[in-house]
Amino acid sequence: PAEWARFPAPDGPGETFANCLAAPAVLLQRFNGVVILADKPGGGFDSDDADLVMSVGDSGGVAVENRLLQDELMRAYFAVVGVLADAIEVKDPYTKGHCEMVARLSRRTAARLAADDDTLRSIALYGGLLHDIGKIGVSDGGLNKPGRLTPEEWVLMQSHVRIGRDLLAHVPALAGVSAVVMHHHERYDGG
């Protein structure tokens, strides 16, 4: 056709097509490119081919859109983690900067132990950030008491690991982190 005259001529035989079919690629209701099929053996493309290409393009667009939405959901989950970590610091001034330091050290330890899996590193990072989240359920009098805690207050303070585990166990993206929170005061020998 005459409108093709504005395109550059092929440089060689590998750049020519006996036939071709082009369909728009639309992602998130925006034009993102073109899917091109060329050199169909046995002749030109028909309306069934066009329907198939459009269907494949639509399915691909849905898959990409779903992935983008999944990524957005995960960002929202972890924004909540940041808010929870901030809530710990408001409740217990001692933790100011402490949770970030524990998260940094936990992630570095996981890397040093060759925990290459991103999931393990995330668990270490978010476990570090949220290890004291259970302090939300501990009375302010025990958290901010000057001096030593009584044996009874100490038992209440120790309950923050169970409270934290129980809070996080209900969040699917943080379920693995709940075990870290539960055991963060245990020694290697289980003591």
Side-chain angles (χ1 to χ4, degrees):
E3 58 267 11
W4 288 41
R6 62 188 172 107
F7 294 105
D11 286 337
E15 292 186 7
T16 60
F17 305 122
N19 51 52
C20 73
L21 175 64
V26 178
L27 303 173
L28 298 172
Q29 301 178 344
R30 288 194 316 249
F31 175 75
N32 269 18
V34 178
V35 176
I36 300 174
L37 301 179
D39 288 335
K40 179 182 177 185
F45 293 96
D46 58 26
S47 62
D48 288 341
D49 295 324
D51 290 343
L52 181 63
V53 169
M54 292 296 284
S55 175
V56 168
D58 289 345
S59 296
V62 167
V64 169
E65 186 171 350
N66 284 343
R67 179 55 196 238
L68 293 172
L69 290 171
Q70 185 180 31
D71 290 347
E72 186 177 323
L73 180 61
M74 291 307 289
R75 281 191 300 275
Y77 262 130
F78 295 122
V80 170
V81 169
V83 169
L84 291 173
D86 291 344
I88 298 167
E89 291 187 357
V90 168
K91 175 86 173 177
D92 181 9
Y94 159 76
T95 61
K96 184 72 175 164
H98 169 75
C99 293
E100 288 85 358
M101 181 190 66
V102 171
R104 230 181 0 265
L105 292 174
S106 297
R107 189 164 172 96
R108 289 175 67 187
T109 301
R112 188 75 179 252
L113 292 172
D116 291 329
D117 182 32
D118 283 339
T119 302
L120 291 176
R121 289 186 184 179
S122 293
I123 288 173
L125 174 68
Y126 295 112
L129 276 175
L130 297 175
H131 73 280
D132 279 339
I133 189 67
K135 288 183 177 180
I136 288 173
V138 175
S139 74
D140 289 346
L143 281 177
N144 301 316
K145 179 182 177 182
R148 292 180 125 349
L149 297 174
T150 67
E152 295 81 17
E153 291 169 331
W154 183 241
V155 169
L156 286 174
M157 183 63 74
Q158 288 175 320
S159 72
H160 82 278
V161 296
R162 286 187 309 284
I163 294 167
R165 178 207 51 206
D166 293 346
L167 285 171
L168 298 180
H170 299 294
V171 181
L174 298 174
V177 175
S178 66
V180 172
V181 170
M182 177 63 186
H183 301 290
H184 80 270
H185 278 290
E186 288 184 16
R187 294 188 176 104
Y188 186 74
D189 66 1

